[in-house]
């Protein structure tokens, strides 16, 4: 295999990664880590018998562990300037918005958590949908010249 065949697309490799793309990757990694931690907590709580609904805690914990993979893989892809990574990262943010809304409707100490989730999701969406991010990932919009 020649060196030309193993290189990334010229648009993604020729320019340095924008700071906004690095920040978006960091936010996605932060979300993935938080979901992973929540999944571990629920799983351990369910297996340890500290929960009234043991099966529900275990099931929710395992589900959160699996769901944590999406933003974590997306963050890794964004750092490596992989074109495919923007879609999963955007999906993660869109899914975080209803979670934030539900947390904001809570009548408890979860309201500050809802505010943080909402701010992170909106900030990450703004960063991910920025034209410089698309250019860095080699994504072309209709009408862009070749």
């Amino acid at each position: 295999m020649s060196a030309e065949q193993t290189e990334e697309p010229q648009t993604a490799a020729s320019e340095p990664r924008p700071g906004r793309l690095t920040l978006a990757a960091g936010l996605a990694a932060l979300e993935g880590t938080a979901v992973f931690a929540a999944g571990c907590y629920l799983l351990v709580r369910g297996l340890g018998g500290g929960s009234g609904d043991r099966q529900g805690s275990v099931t929710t914990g395992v589900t959160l562990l699996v769901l944590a993979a999406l933003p974590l893989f997306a963050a890794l892809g964004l750092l490596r300037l992989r074109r495919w990574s923007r879609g999963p990262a955007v999906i993660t943010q869109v899914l975080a918005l209803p979670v934030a809304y539900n947390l904001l409707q809570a009548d408890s100490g979860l309201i500050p958590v809802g505010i943080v989730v909402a701010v992170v999701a909106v900030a990450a969406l703004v960063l991910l949908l920025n034209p410089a991010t698309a250019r860095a990932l080699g994504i072309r919009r209709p009408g862009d010249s070749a």
Side-chain angles (χ1 to χ4, degrees):
M1 227 187 212
S2 71
E4 292 175 10
Q5 292 174 338
T6 59
E7 290 181 14
E8 281 294 306
Q10 185 67 12
T11 57
S14 62
E15 299 177 19
R17 181 176 55 241
R20 64 182 52 91
L21 185 56
T22 304
L23 183 57
L27 291 175
L30 176 70
E31 290 169 328
T33 303
V35 172
F36 184 81
C40 287
Y41 170 76
L42 288 172
L43 185 61
V44 168
R45 192 176 98 178
L47 292 175
S51 170
D53 182 15
R54 181 178 181 167
Q55 182 178 1
S57 289
V58 170
T59 302
T60 304
V62 170
T63 301
L64 289 177
L65 291 176
V66 171
L67 288 176
L70 182 67
L72 291 172
F73 283 129
L76 184 60
L78 289 170
L79 288 175
R80 293 182 177 174
L81 297 175
R82 300 295 192 253
R83 183 179 304 173
W84 59 264
S85 62
R86 190 169 84 155
V90 169
I91 289 169
T92 300
Q93 307 320 313
V94 170
L95 291 174
L97 292 173
V99 171
Y101 178 79
N102 283 333
L103 290 170
L104 290 170
Q105 300 303 309
D107 216 13
S108 67
L110 293 177
I111 291 174
V113 176
I115 293 169
V116 170
V117 170
V119 168
V120 168
V122 170
L125 276 172
V126 168
L127 294 168
L128 289 165
L129 298 177
N130 189 290
T133 300
R135 278 193 304 275
L137 294 173
I139 299 170
R140 293 191 182 140
R141 296 183 339 201
D144 284 351
S145 61

